[in-house]
Amino acid sequence: MEEYFIDLSKFMMADSSYKDADGVIFSIPYDETTSFKPGAREGGNAIRTASWGLETYSPILDRDLSELKYCDLKDLDLYGNQEEKFNTIYHVTKEILKDNKRIIVFGGEHSITYPVVKAVKDMYGDFAVIQFDAHCDLRDEYLGNKLSHACVMRRIYELTKDIFQFGIRSGDKEEWDFAKKNNLYLKMDLMNEEDLEHIKSLDKPIYVTIDIDVLDPAYAPGTGTPEPCGFSTRELFNSLYLLKDVKDRIIGFDIVEVSPIHDIANITAITAAKIARELMLMIL
């Protein structure tokens, strides 16, 4: 009887058991430090729903999701204060990594990347982070909170100095001064082959974090802090496809700040779902 039914609450083709899966999808419904427009806590489910409008095959990568083994655990059950919620995120991420599985995380706001990366740090020690984002996210604190989504890369910088930031076009003077003082690899532009060669030379595990507002609001209106003059969808994908050369080192990725309440015709969620599909086809 089960063959007549379909579970649209999961990412498309997420049919493997946790035990058999090479990759594990889970979402983190958290947006409590959002500084402008809330709603990112619903991002994971919007991405899942949108995924069913895509094909399973990528003509660029010449692979199909049917070739992969991955499961979707859906929303993480969060409760308590921010510290308690982040501890839950950290422990769940660490357990999945200990089981030798790659992680695919849907936000939620960008602050959730910190406890995920903290688990990566404890599992792998030395690693690099590639960030696609409109914002520096390098504030030491924002509105009295050091774990705000505006501080996530500053906290991650305390875990690894190998941070590569692309698409950055917004931040206060303190953030830009911090980046210059510490010689951060921060670019307003796309990732190019020269950037990739530098990343490859490190020979380290890689975690990729994608804030959907790296895209221009014309391509991704469904986000809490839209910033004009961003990447086109094609430009972002062209940067992501460069990562094929380091695909075996990528241990996971997240897509954050998708806010469906502010989306138009679901174009932001559809774009996020396609990003997920392409990266999954690349690393699993």
Side-chain angles (χ1 to χ4, degrees), residues 129-173:
V129 174
I130 300 174
Q131 172 198 13
F132 295 92
D133 203 324
H135 304 89
C136 298
D137 291 342
L138 289 169
R139 297 173 190 250
D140 188 42
E141 60 87 23
Y142 185 68
L143 300 178
N145 188 350
K146 286 182 171 286
L147 296 177
S148 166
H149 73 156
C151 309
V152 62
M153 298 311 294
R154 183 69 166 262
R155 300 286 79 81
I156 290 174
Y157 182 75
E158 295 167 359
L159 301 176
T160 177
K161 300 300 183 282
D162 293 313
I163 296 174
F164 300 85
Q165 299 175 281
F166 300 100
I168 311 299
R169 56 193 185 277
S170 181
D172 70 8
K173 187 175 186 300

Short mmCIF file of all heavy atoms in Angstrom, two decimals, residues 129-173:
data_model
loop_
_atom_site.label_atom_id
_atom_site.label_comp_id
_atom_site.label_asym_id
_atom_site.label_seq_id
_atom_site.Cartn_x
_atom_site.Cartn_y
_atom_site.Cartn_z
N VAL A 129 36.56 27.35 6.28
CA VAL A 129 35.17 27.71 6.04
C VAL A 129 35.08 28.63 4.83
O VAL A 129 35.82 29.62 4.74
CB VAL A 129 34.54 28.41 7.27
CG1 VAL A 129 33.13 28.91 6.95
CG2 VAL A 129 34.50 27.47 8.46
N ILE A 130 34.19 28.31 3.92
CA ILE A 130 33.90 29.16 2.77
C ILE A 130 32.51 29.75 2.98
O ILE A 130 31.54 29.02 3.18
CB ILE A 130 33.95 28.38 1.45
CG1 ILE A 130 35.34 27.77 1.23
CG2 ILE A 130 33.57 29.28 0.27
CD1 ILE A 130 35.42 26.86 0.01
N GLN A 131 32.44 31.07 2.95
CA GLN A 131 31.19 31.78 3.21
C GLN A 131 30.77 32.56 1.97
O GLN A 131 31.56 33.31 1.39
CB GLN A 131 31.37 32.74 4.39
CG GLN A 131 30.19 33.68 4.63
CD GLN A 131 30.57 34.88 5.49
OE1 GLN A 131 31.76 35.14 5.71
NE2 GLN A 131 29.58 35.62 5.96
N PHE A 132 29.51 32.42 1.58
CA PHE A 132 28.89 33.27 0.56
C PHE A 132 27.81 34.08 1.27
O PHE A 132 26.88 33.52 1.85
CB PHE A 132 28.28 32.43 -0.56
CG PHE A 132 29.28 31.66 -1.36
CD1 PHE A 132 29.62 30.36 -1.02
CD2 PHE A 132 29.91 32.24 -2.46
CE1 PHE A 132 30.55 29.64 -1.75
CE2 PHE A 132 30.85 31.52 -3.21
CZ PHE A 132 31.17 30.22 -2.85
N ASP A 133 27.92 35.41 1.20
CA ASP A 133 27.07 36.24 2.07
C ASP A 133 27.12 37.68 1.58
O ASP A 133 28.12 38.11 0.99
CB ASP A 133 27.60 36.16 3.51
CG ASP A 133 26.58 36.49 4.57
OD1 ASP A 133 25.74 37.38 4.34
OD2 ASP A 133 26.62 35.86 5.64
N ALA A 134 26.07 38.44 1.88
CA ALA A 134 26.10 39.88 1.63
C ALA A 134 26.80 40.63 2.75
O ALA A 134 27.33 41.72 2.54
CB ALA A 134 24.67 40.41 1.49
N HIS A 135 26.83 40.03 3.96
CA HIS A 135 27.27 40.73 5.15
C HIS A 135 28.54 40.12 5.73
O HIS A 135 28.74 38.90 5.69
CB HIS A 135 26.17 40.70 6.21
CG HIS A 135 24.87 41.26 5.73
ND1 HIS A 135 23.91 40.49 5.12
CD2 HIS A 135 24.39 42.53 5.77
CE1 HIS A 135 22.87 41.25 4.80
NE2 HIS A 135 23.14 42.49 5.17
N CYS A 136 29.37 40.98 6.32
CA CYS A 136 30.61 40.51 6.94
C CYS A 136 30.32 39.54 8.09
O CYS A 136 31.04 38.56 8.28
CB CYS A 136 31.40 41.68 7.52
SG CYS A 136 31.97 42.91 6.33
N ASP A 137 29.30 39.87 8.89
CA ASP A 137 28.97 39.07 10.10
C ASP A 137 30.17 38.97 11.03
O ASP A 137 30.40 37.93 11.65
CB ASP A 137 28.48 37.67 9.71
CG ASP A 137 27.13 37.70 9.04
OD1 ASP A 137 26.42 38.71 9.17
OD2 ASP A 137 26.76 36.71 8.37
N LEU A 138 30.92 40.07 11.14
CA LEU A 138 32.15 40.08 11.95
C LEU A 138 32.05 40.97 13.19
O LEU A 138 33.06 41.26 13.82
CB LEU A 138 33.32 40.56 11.08
CG LEU A 138 33.81 39.60 10.00
CD1 LEU A 138 34.79 40.29 9.07
CD2 LEU A 138 34.45 38.36 10.62
N ARG A 139 30.84 41.38 13.56
CA ARG A 139 30.69 42.17 14.78
C ARG A 139 31.06 41.31 15.99
O ARG A 139 30.74 40.12 16.02
CB ARG A 139 29.26 42.67 14.93
CG ARG A 139 28.80 43.61 13.82
CD ARG A 139 27.32 43.90 13.97
NE ARG A 139 26.78 44.59 12.82
CZ ARG A 139 26.38 45.86 12.81
NH1 ARG A 139 26.49 46.58 13.93
NH2 ARG A 139 25.88 46.41 11.73
N ASP A 140 31.68 41.94 16.98
CA ASP A 140 32.01 41.19 18.19
C ASP A 140 30.74 40.94 19.02
O ASP A 140 30.62 39.91 19.68
CB ASP A 140 33.04 41.94 19.02
CG ASP A 140 33.53 41.10 20.18
OD1 ASP A 140 33.77 39.89 19.97
OD2 ASP A 140 33.66 41.64 21.29
N GLU A 141 29.82 41.89 18.97
CA GLU A 141 28.50 41.70 19.58
C GLU A 141 27.50 42.58 18.85
O GLU A 141 27.87 43.56 18.21
CB GLU A 141 28.53 42.02 21.08
CG GLU A 141 28.93 43.44 21.42
CD GLU A 141 27.76 44.43 21.42
OE1 GLU A 141 26.61 43.97 21.59
OE2 GLU A 141 28.00 45.63 21.24
N TYR A 142 26.23 42.21 18.93
CA TYR A 142 25.19 43.03 18.33
C TYR A 142 23.99 43.04 19.26
O TYR A 142 23.49 41.97 19.66
CB TYR A 142 24.78 42.48 16.96
CG TYR A 142 23.79 43.36 16.23
CD1 TYR A 142 24.19 44.61 15.77
CD2 TYR A 142 22.47 42.96 16.04
CE1 TYR A 142 23.30 45.45 15.12
CE2 TYR A 142 21.58 43.79 15.38
CZ TYR A 142 22.00 45.03 14.93
OH TYR A 142 21.10 45.86 14.30
N LEU A 143 23.59 44.24 19.68
CA LEU A 143 22.51 44.42 20.64
C LEU A 143 22.78 43.61 21.92
O LEU A 143 21.88 43.02 22.50
CB LEU A 143 21.16 44.02 20.02
CG LEU A 143 20.75 44.81 18.77
CD1 LEU A 143 19.42 44.29 18.23
CD2 LEU A 143 20.64 46.31 19.08
N GLY A 144 24.08 43.59 22.31
CA GLY A 144 24.48 42.92 23.53
C GLY A 144 24.63 41.42 23.44
O GLY A 144 24.91 40.76 24.45
N ASN A 145 24.49 40.86 22.24
CA ASN A 145 24.54 39.40 22.06
C ASN A 145 25.73 39.02 21.19
O ASN A 145 25.79 39.39 20.01
CB ASN A 145 23.24 38.92 21.42
CG ASN A 145 23.12 37.42 21.37
OD1 ASN A 145 24.09 36.69 21.64
ND2 ASN A 145 21.95 36.92 21.03
N LYS A 146 26.67 38.27 21.74
CA LYS A 146 27.82 37.82 20.98
C LYS A 146 27.51 36.64 20.07
O LYS A 146 28.36 36.23 19.26
CB LYS A 146 28.97 37.44 21.94
CG LYS A 146 29.66 38.63 22.59
CD LYS A 146 30.79 38.19 23.48
CE LYS A 146 31.64 39.35 23.96
NZ LYS A 146 32.51 39.89 22.90
N LEU A 147 26.32 36.07 20.20
CA LEU A 147 25.91 34.95 19.35
C LEU A 147 24.82 35.36 18.37
O LEU A 147 24.10 34.51 17.83
CB LEU A 147 25.43 33.78 20.22
CG LEU A 147 26.48 33.15 21.12
CD1 LEU A 147 25.86 32.06 21.99
CD2 LEU A 147 27.64 32.58 20.30
N SER A 148 24.71 36.65 18.11
CA SER A 148 23.77 37.15 17.11
C SER A 148 24.17 36.66 15.72
O SER A 148 25.33 36.34 15.46
CB SER A 148 23.76 38.68 17.13
OG SER A 148 23.12 39.21 15.99
N HIS A 149 23.20 36.66 14.81
CA HIS A 149 23.54 36.30 13.42
C HIS A 149 24.50 37.31 12.81
O HIS A 149 25.16 37.00 11.81
CB HIS A 149 22.27 36.10 12.58
CG HIS A 149 21.54 37.36 12.21
ND1 HIS A 149 20.72 37.43 11.10
CD2 HIS A 149 21.48 38.58 12.78
CE1 HIS A 149 20.19 38.64 11.02
NE2 HIS A 149 20.63 39.35 12.02
N ALA A 150 24.59 38.51 13.39
CA ALA A 150 25.53 39.51 12.89
C ALA A 150 26.96 39.26 13.37
O ALA A 150 27.89 39.95 12.93
CB ALA A 150 25.09 40.91 13.34
N CYS A 151 27.15 38.26 14.23
CA CYS A 151 28.46 37.98 14.82
C CYS A 151 28.99 36.60 14.43
O CYS A 151 30.06 36.20 14.91
CB CYS A 151 28.37 38.04 16.35
SG CYS A 151 27.62 39.54 17.02
N VAL A 152 28.29 35.89 13.59
CA VAL A 152 28.60 34.47 13.41
C VAL A 152 30.01 34.22 12.88
O VAL A 152 30.71 33.32 13.34
CB VAL A 152 27.54 33.77 12.52
CG1 VAL A 152 27.48 34.37 11.12
CG2 VAL A 152 27.79 32.28 12.45
N MET A 153 30.47 35.04 11.93
CA MET A 153 31.81 34.80 11.39
C MET A 153 32.90 35.26 12.35
O MET A 153 34.02 34.73 12.32
CB MET A 153 31.96 35.47 10.02
CG MET A 153 31.00 34.95 8.96
SD MET A 153 30.92 33.14 8.83
CE MET A 153 32.57 32.75 8.24
N ARG A 154 32.59 36.21 13.22
CA ARG A 154 33.56 36.61 14.26
C ARG A 154 33.77 35.44 15.22
O ARG A 154 34.89 35.14 15.63
CB ARG A 154 33.04 37.83 14.99
CG ARG A 154 33.97 38.40 16.04
CD ARG A 154 35.24 39.04 15.44
NE ARG A 154 35.92 39.85 16.43
CZ ARG A 154 35.81 41.17 16.55
NH1 ARG A 154 35.01 41.84 15.72
NH2 ARG A 154 36.49 41.82 17.47
N ARG A 155 32.69 34.76 15.59
CA ARG A 155 32.80 33.60 16.47
C ARG A 155 33.52 32.46 15.76
O ARG A 155 34.33 31.74 16.36
CB ARG A 155 31.43 33.15 16.96
CG ARG A 155 30.63 34.17 17.74
CD ARG A 155 31.15 34.39 19.16
NE ARG A 155 32.32 35.25 19.24
CZ ARG A 155 32.26 36.58 19.22
NH1 ARG A 155 31.10 37.19 19.11
NH2 ARG A 155 33.36 37.28 19.29
N ILE A 156 33.24 32.27 14.48
CA ILE A 156 33.89 31.20 13.73
C ILE A 156 35.38 31.51 13.55
O ILE A 156 36.22 30.59 13.55
CB ILE A 156 33.18 30.97 12.39
CG1 ILE A 156 31.80 30.34 12.65
CG2 ILE A 156 34.01 30.10 11.45
CD1 ILE A 156 30.94 30.19 11.41
N TYR A 157 35.72 32.79 13.43
CA TYR A 157 37.13 33.18 13.32
C TYR A 157 37.91 32.75 14.56
O TYR A 157 39.12 32.52 14.49
CB TYR A 157 37.23 34.70 13.11
CG TYR A 157 38.63 35.21 12.95
CD1 TYR A 157 39.33 35.02 11.76
CD2 TYR A 157 39.26 35.90 14.00
CE1 TYR A 157 40.63 35.50 11.61
CE2 TYR A 157 40.55 36.38 13.85
CZ TYR A 157 41.23 36.18 12.66
OH TYR A 157 42.51 36.65 12.51
N GLU A 158 37.22 32.62 15.69
CA GLU A 158 37.86 32.14 16.91
C GLU A 158 38.11 30.64 16.88
O GLU A 158 38.87 30.11 17.68
CB GLU A 158 36.98 32.51 18.11
CG GLU A 158 36.86 34.00 18.33
CD GLU A 158 35.76 34.40 19.30
OE1 GLU A 158 35.05 33.49 19.80
OE2 GLU A 158 35.61 35.60 19.57
N LEU A 159 37.49 29.95 15.92
CA LEU A 159 37.67 28.51 15.76
C LEU A 159 38.64 28.17 14.64
O LEU A 159 39.32 27.14 14.70
CB LEU A 159 36.31 27.85 15.46
CG LEU A 159 35.21 28.03 16.50
CD1 LEU A 159 33.92 27.40 16.01
CD2 LEU A 159 35.62 27.43 17.84
N THR A 160 38.69 29.00 13.61
CA THR A 160 39.63 28.80 12.50
C THR A 160 39.93 30.14 11.85
O THR A 160 39.02 30.96 11.66
CB THR A 160 39.09 27.82 11.45
OG1 THR A 160 40.05 27.75 10.35
CG2 THR A 160 37.75 28.26 10.88
N LYS A 161 41.18 30.35 11.51
CA LYS A 161 41.56 31.57 10.80
C LYS A 161 41.40 31.42 9.30
O LYS A 161 41.53 32.39 8.55
CB LYS A 161 43.00 31.95 11.14
CG LYS A 161 43.24 32.20 12.63
CD LYS A 161 42.37 33.34 13.15
CE LYS A 161 42.64 33.67 14.61
NZ LYS A 161 42.03 32.73 15.55
N ASP A 162 41.15 30.19 8.85
CA ASP A 162 41.01 29.93 7.41
C ASP A 162 39.56 30.12 6.99
O ASP A 162 38.80 29.17 6.78
CB ASP A 162 41.50 28.53 7.07
CG ASP A 162 42.99 28.38 7.28
OD1 ASP A 162 43.73 29.27 6.80
OD2 ASP A 162 43.42 27.41 7.92
N ILE A 163 39.18 31.40 6.86
CA ILE A 163 37.84 31.78 6.44
C ILE A 163 37.94 32.51 5.11
O ILE A 163 38.75 33.42 4.95
CB ILE A 163 37.18 32.69 7.49
CG1 ILE A 163 36.98 31.95 8.81
CG2 ILE A 163 35.84 33.23 6.98
CD1 ILE A 163 36.47 32.84 9.92
N PHE A 164 37.11 32.10 4.16
CA PHE A 164 37.09 32.71 2.83
C PHE A 164 35.69 33.27 2.58
O PHE A 164 34.72 32.51 2.52
CB PHE A 164 37.45 31.68 1.77
CG PHE A 164 38.82 31.08 1.96
CD1 PHE A 164 39.02 30.01 2.81
CD2 PHE A 164 39.92 31.62 1.30
CE1 PHE A 164 40.27 29.47 3.00
CE2 PHE A 164 41.18 31.10 1.48
CZ PHE A 164 41.37 30.02 2.34
N GLN A 165 35.60 34.60 2.48
CA GLN A 165 34.31 35.27 2.40
C GLN A 165 34.12 35.87 1.01
O GLN A 165 34.95 36.65 0.54
CB GLN A 165 34.23 36.37 3.46
CG GLN A 165 34.36 35.84 4.89
CD GLN A 165 34.40 36.97 5.92
OE1 GLN A 165 35.43 37.60 6.10
NE2 GLN A 165 33.27 37.22 6.57
N PHE A 166 32.98 35.54 0.39
CA PHE A 166 32.70 36.01 -0.97
C PHE A 166 31.33 36.67 -1.04
O PHE A 166 30.39 36.25 -0.35
CB PHE A 166 32.76 34.84 -1.96
CG PHE A 166 34.09 34.15 -2.01
CD1 PHE A 166 34.31 32.95 -1.34
CD2 PHE A 166 35.14 34.72 -2.72
CE1 PHE A 166 35.54 32.33 -1.38
CE2 PHE A 166 36.39 34.10 -2.76
CZ PHE A 166 36.59 32.90 -2.09
N GLY A 167 31.25 37.71 -1.88
CA GLY A 167 29.99 38.42 -2.07
C GLY A 167 29.72 39.48 -1.02
O GLY A 167 28.65 40.10 -1.02
N ILE A 168 30.68 39.72 -0.13
CA ILE A 168 30.47 40.62 1.00
C ILE A 168 30.38 42.07 0.51
O ILE A 168 31.28 42.56 -0.19
CB ILE A 168 31.61 40.51 2.03
CG1 ILE A 168 31.89 39.04 2.38
CG2 ILE A 168 31.28 41.33 3.26
CD1 ILE A 168 30.75 38.30 3.00
N ARG A 169 29.31 42.74 0.87
CA ARG A 169 29.12 44.13 0.44
C ARG A 169 28.47 45.00 1.51
O ARG A 169 28.05 46.13 1.23
CB ARG A 169 28.29 44.18 -0.85
CG ARG A 169 26.94 43.48 -0.74
CD ARG A 169 26.31 43.28 -2.10
NE ARG A 169 24.97 42.72 -2.03
CZ ARG A 169 24.68 41.43 -1.90
NH1 ARG A 169 25.67 40.54 -1.87
NH2 ARG A 169 23.43 41.02 -1.85
N SER A 170 28.37 44.48 2.73
CA SER A 170 27.73 45.23 3.79
C SER A 170 28.35 44.89 5.14
O SER A 170 28.70 43.74 5.40
CB SER A 170 26.23 44.91 3.83
OG SER A 170 25.57 45.64 4.84
N GLY A 171 28.49 45.92 5.98
CA GLY A 171 29.03 45.74 7.32
C GLY A 171 29.40 47.10 7.89
O GLY A 171 29.63 48.05 7.14
N ASP A 172 29.46 47.22 9.21
CA ASP A 172 29.85 48.51 9.76
C ASP A 172 31.37 48.67 9.71
O ASP A 172 32.11 47.73 9.40
CB ASP A 172 29.27 48.72 11.16
CG ASP A 172 29.90 47.82 12.22
OD1 ASP A 172 30.89 47.13 11.93
OD2 ASP A 172 29.40 47.82 13.36
N LYS A 173 31.84 49.88 10.01
CA LYS A 173 33.26 50.18 9.88
C LYS A 173 34.12 49.28 10.75
O LYS A 173 35.21 48.85 10.34
CB LYS A 173 33.53 51.65 10.22
CG LYS A 173 34.97 52.10 9.94
CD LYS A 173 35.13 53.59 10.18
CE LYS A 173 36.53 54.04 9.76
NZ LYS A 173 37.60 53.35 10.51
#
